[in-house]
Amino acid sequence: MIEATMLSDQIETYITNNNLGESFISVVERNALLIDARISIIDLTGKVLIDTEADSKDLENHLDRPEVIEAMNNGFGNDIRLSESLEEEFIYIAVPITNQQSEVVAI
C-alpha cells in the first residue's frame, strides 16, 4: 500500500497534465522494478493507460475489478485472483490517484 501511494504522488502531475509520454512511462517502469511488481494505471473510465507487463492496448476495461471498485469507494482496494493476461495468481492493490484539489484523476 505504501508503494502504491508513493507512486500515485509521483505520477499525479503527469496524469493531471495528460503528459503520458516517455517521462511518465519511465517513472512507472522504474517503480515497478524497485518494488518488483506489475503496475497498471487506469483512467476514470477503466481504460488502462500503462501496464508494466502487458501492452495496455490489449487489456480489457478495469473499472469493474473488485480492487478498483473498493478503492473508489474506500480509498484503498485489494483482491487476490488469477490474472487472465499472465495466467498467474496475484495480489491486486488499487489506490486512487488524486490531484491537488483531492479529486480522483486515475487509479
Side-chain angles (χ1 to χ4, degrees):
M1 161 97 169
I2 292 170
E3 292 91 347
T5 302
M6 289 174 57
L7 175 61
S8 72
D9 290 344
Q10 291 178 44
I11 64 172
E12 175 272 322
T13 303
Y14 291 102
I15 294 168
T16 300
N17 295 324
N18 200 29
N19 181 9
L20 306 179
E22 290 301 316
S23 294
F24 169 73
I25 294 167
S26 177
V27 169
V28 174
E29 289 178 344
R30 183 175 62 244
N31 275 272
L33 288 172
L34 287 171
I35 64 173
D36 190 28
R38 178 182 184 179
I39 297 175
S40 302
I41 308 295
I42 67 169
D43 70 13
L44 296 180
T45 69
K47 176 184 173 189
V48 179
L49 300 174
I50 184 172
D51 186 284
T52 58
E53 294 190 24
D55 188 338
S56 60
K57 292 179 225 122
D58 296 334
L59 298 174
E60 71 283 348
N61 189 289
H62 283 30
L63 202 57
D64 64 347
R65 302 273 174 104
E67 69 278 5
V68 173
I69 294 167
E70 187 177 0
M72 293 297 289
N73 291 329
N74 302 319
F76 172 77
N78 64 7
D79 190 36
I80 300 172
R81 68 171 179 283
L82 186 70
S83 166
E84 292 178 23
S85 58
L86 297 178
E87 298 180 356
E88 291 181 52
E89 189 170 81
F90 286 97
I91 299 170
Y92 291 84
I93 296 173
V95 296
I97 299 168
T98 57
N99 63 17
Q100 306 240 339
Q101 293 76 34
S102 298
E103 301 165 326
V104 176
V105 296
I107 302 162

